[in-house]
């Protein structure tokens, strides 16, 4: 059972945003996230975690399109086996230029929040709707549990007629889970020494999981009533694993990807990379019974962690009137037929990708046997002074940044094309863009270039078959662009896209609270950073 945050809301005039005009907030929502260490056992193995309000996953933040949002993060972390500073990324939400300092990327738009400190992130009226999530964006901290859903409901959802139920019970969060804390000798240090990502012990669905030899933790249950149609909001909160989602005997009608409405497209299963979100409509049109929701995952060799069993990543779809019991069918870990081909998705409102003004090829390479990932030969190191602060202090050209900051400076109001050549390693990298969606003109799964009606999303795979995307530099500011496999992120698979330094200086006016973050953080002893 999910417990939503008590969201305090001040209702303002319910104005419909007029195109071009400044948005008026529908309601001002405020939430408080207490980031704490708690002993939890999502899969039956008890460990210390970094979680919001003591729960994993964190409480859902529920908004309505047009709301403004402020989030106060109170850092109450005390456990020295994990990072004690923190920061918050509201993943997929676009901040306006004047709010860029509340975008949440550690060392790109802010310094982290130290222990016992608080910081409030402010977002103006949100002109987006769909399925989003939030997580720590400091190193690999979200692996320790700081992740949760953020849903923006749209009262004028064009797909409203397709479903009957869309509430807390239809949010489905998947996440890989490790028994060890990130800083334990077997996790980050071992990764850094070998380049081999520690294999997860389990994979949670709505915060519960099982592992080989572990206790029979009750599966998460999604309750349905025969005849009704459910909008399931699937969020892959993994830090590594790729999840395949399938419900026995039921088809999935995909209507949203990463906040973008789609032409409804029916599949039997879909693969989700870390950071990706989909809404699927599932009709309870089968005999009253229990059905497996199966979310087998891939993430390293299970032989390297005998706890791992992809078949044990599952939940139950239970019809009203069915016995309180497991489905009687065998558990399957796939492969499933009729899986989504990303290139088959089309946006509900077609929009052509503008012609590219600038073309760049981004080559992603790993240094064999080491935890070092590079983009065009450079492994990202977070700057000491956040990129945004450097820009406010005058940095304008690529030469103004250390080479390891991998900062690409783009002219304003242009369309940039990134081409990712086919990877020569095994991994598909879910590349995530902050601040905006990109046109996915050639997904990994096809050779066809589609500039006529590509989908727009914020996370897509650069895999064995390459990828091409385009984005616009309309919005001034520095935006993090990185792999959402946070182990790769930590190992340098990241860049910063800087649009229009002059306009950034003209439009960004940070608050004293933001300016105070860096001096406070630098004054902390290393173990509290
Ligand atoms: C945070 O506050 C608690 C309670 O006041 C205190 O025990 C602890 O030392 C503080 N931690 C830091 C890092 O200041
Ligand atoms: C890490 O986990 C493994 C089992 O999953 C255990 O054997 C090992 O002792 C753990 N190490 C630490 C430092 O927690
Ligand atoms: C979530 O993403 C990870 C990493 O890309 C992947 O390994 C895992 O299979 C995904 N999970 C689902 C349910 O798609
Ligand atoms: C995974 O779990 C299933 C269900 O308990 C079990 O049948 C199977 O043998 C397990 N697989 C491995 C490799 O342990
Ligand atoms: C970028 O590449 C596209 C083909 O993908 C081409 O049509 C376009 O002319 C190129 N633009 C520049 C500025 O080179
Ligand atoms: C700056 O870049 C050099 C490589 O050119 C690297 O060795 C150094 O660590 C970087 N300095 C900082 C502060 O990131
Ligand atoms: C970019 O476009 C925006 C909106 O169309 C406009 O206000 C701005 O002046 C343009 N900037 C430049 C540098 O052309
Ligand atoms: C990428 O494409 C290759 C070749 O079609 C395929 O083998 C691989 O599974 C794809 N990866 C993803 C994440 O789509
Ligand atoms: C930014 O402003 C400086 C000083 O006014 C000017 O020299 C420079 O050309 C501007 N850069 C861009 C990209 O507009
Ligand atoms: Cu990656």
């Amino acid at each position: 059972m999910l417990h939503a945050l008590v969201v305090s809301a001040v209702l303002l005039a319910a104005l419909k945003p007029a195109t071009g005009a400044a948005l008026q907030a529908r309601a001002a929502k405020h939430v408080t996230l207490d980031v704490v260490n708690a002993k939890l056992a999502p899969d039956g193995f008890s460990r210390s975690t970094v979680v919001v309000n003591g729960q994993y996953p964190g409480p859902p933040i529920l908004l309505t399109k047009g709301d403004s949002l402020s989030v106060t993060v109170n850092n109450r972390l005390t456990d020295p086996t994990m990072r004690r500073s923190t920061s918050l990324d509201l993943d997929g939400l676009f901040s306006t230029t004047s709010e860029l300092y509340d975008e949440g990327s550690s060392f790109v738009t802010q310094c982290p929040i130290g222990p016992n400190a608080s910081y409030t992130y402010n977002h103006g009226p949100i002109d987006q709707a769909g399925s989003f999530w939030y997580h720590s964006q400091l190193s690999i901290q979200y692996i320790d549990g700081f992740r949760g859903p953020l849903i923006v409901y749209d009262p004028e959802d064009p797909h409203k007629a397709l479903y009957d139920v869309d509430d807390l019970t239809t949010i489905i969060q998947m996440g890989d889970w490790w028994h060890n804390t990130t800083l334990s000798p077997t996790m980050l240090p071992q990764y850094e020494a070998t380049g081999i990502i520690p294999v997860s012990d389990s994979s949670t669905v709505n915060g519960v999981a099982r592992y080989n030899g572990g206790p029979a933790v009750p599966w998460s249950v999604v309750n349905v009533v025969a005849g009704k149609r459910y909008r399931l909001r699937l969020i892959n909160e993994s830090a590594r694993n790729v999840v395949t989602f399938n419900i026995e005997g039921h088809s999935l009608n995909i209507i949203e990807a990463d906040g973008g409405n789609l032409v409804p497209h029916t599949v039997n299963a879909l693969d989700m990379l870390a950071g990706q979100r989909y809404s699927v409509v599932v009709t309870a049109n089968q005999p009253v019974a229990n059905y497996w929701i199966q979310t087998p995952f891939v993430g390293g060799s299970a032989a390297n962690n005998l706890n791992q069993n992809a078949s044990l990543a599952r939940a139950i779809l239970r019809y009203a009137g069915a016995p309180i019991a497991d489905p009687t069918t065998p558990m399957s870990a796939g492969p499933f037929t009729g899986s989504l081909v990303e290139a088959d998705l089309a946006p509900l409102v077609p929009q052509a990708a503008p012609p590219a003004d600038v073309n760049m090829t981004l080559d992603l390479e790993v240094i064999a046997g080491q935890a070092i990932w590079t983009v065009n030969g450079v492994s990202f190191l977070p700057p000491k002074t956040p990129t945004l602060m450097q820009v406010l202090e005058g940095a304008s050209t690529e030469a103004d940044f250390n080479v390891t900051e991998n900062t690409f400076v783009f002219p304003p109001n242009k369309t940039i094309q990134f081409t990712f050549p086919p990877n020569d390693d095994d991994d598909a990298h879910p590349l995530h863009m902050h601040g905006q969606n990109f046109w996915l003109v050639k997904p990994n799964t096809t050779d066809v270039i589609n500039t006529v009606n590509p989908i727009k999303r914020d996370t897509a795979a650069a895999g064995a078959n390459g990828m091409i995307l385009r984005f616009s530099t309309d919005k001034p500011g520095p935006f993090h662009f990185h792999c959402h496999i946070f182990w790769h992120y930590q190992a340098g698979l990241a860049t910063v896209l800087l649009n229009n330094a002059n306009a950034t200086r003209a439009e960004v006016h940070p608050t004293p609270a933001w300016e105070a973050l860096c001096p406070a953080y630098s004054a902390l002893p290393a173990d509290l950073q």
Side-chain angles (χ1 to χ4, degrees), residues 429-430 483 485 488 493:
H429 302 284
C483 183
I485 296 177
H488 293 171
L493 197 45

Side-chain angles (χ1 to χ4, degrees), residues 356-359 417 470:
D357 301 303
V358 175
N359 288 333
Q417 172 164 297
R470 288 184 190 170

Side-chain angles (χ1 to χ4, degrees), residues 75 77-78 84 115-116 524 528:
N75 181 346
L77 297 173
T78 54
R84 253 145 336 145
N116 285 353
L524 288 171
L528 295 184

Side-chain angles (χ1 to χ4, degrees), residues 228-287:
K228 286 205 190 306
R229 301 162 305 166
Y230 295 81
R231 176 178 185 154
L232 304 185
R233 295 177 179 268
L234 315 180
I235 309 177
N236 188 346
E237 298 176 2
S238 284
R240 183 204 192 163
N241 295 349
V242 177
V243 180
T244 301
F245 184 91
N246 154 281
I247 306 179
E248 273 188 301
H250 294 75
S251 57
L252 313 171
N253 193 14
I254 308 175
I255 58 172
E256 178 222 333
D258 296 358
N261 287 317
L262 304 172
V263 175
H265 178 69
T266 300
V267 297
N268 185 37
L270 53 84
D271 287 340
M272 298 180 70
L273 302 174
Q276 290 187 321
R277 294 92 62 202
Y278 287 101
S279 282
V280 300
V281 176
V282 171
T283 302
N285 57 5
Q286 295 301 305

Side-chain angles (χ1 to χ4, degrees), residues 179-180 184-186 201 305 307:
H179 290 172
N180 292 328
S184 72
T186 50
D201 293 281
N305 186 341
N307 286 341

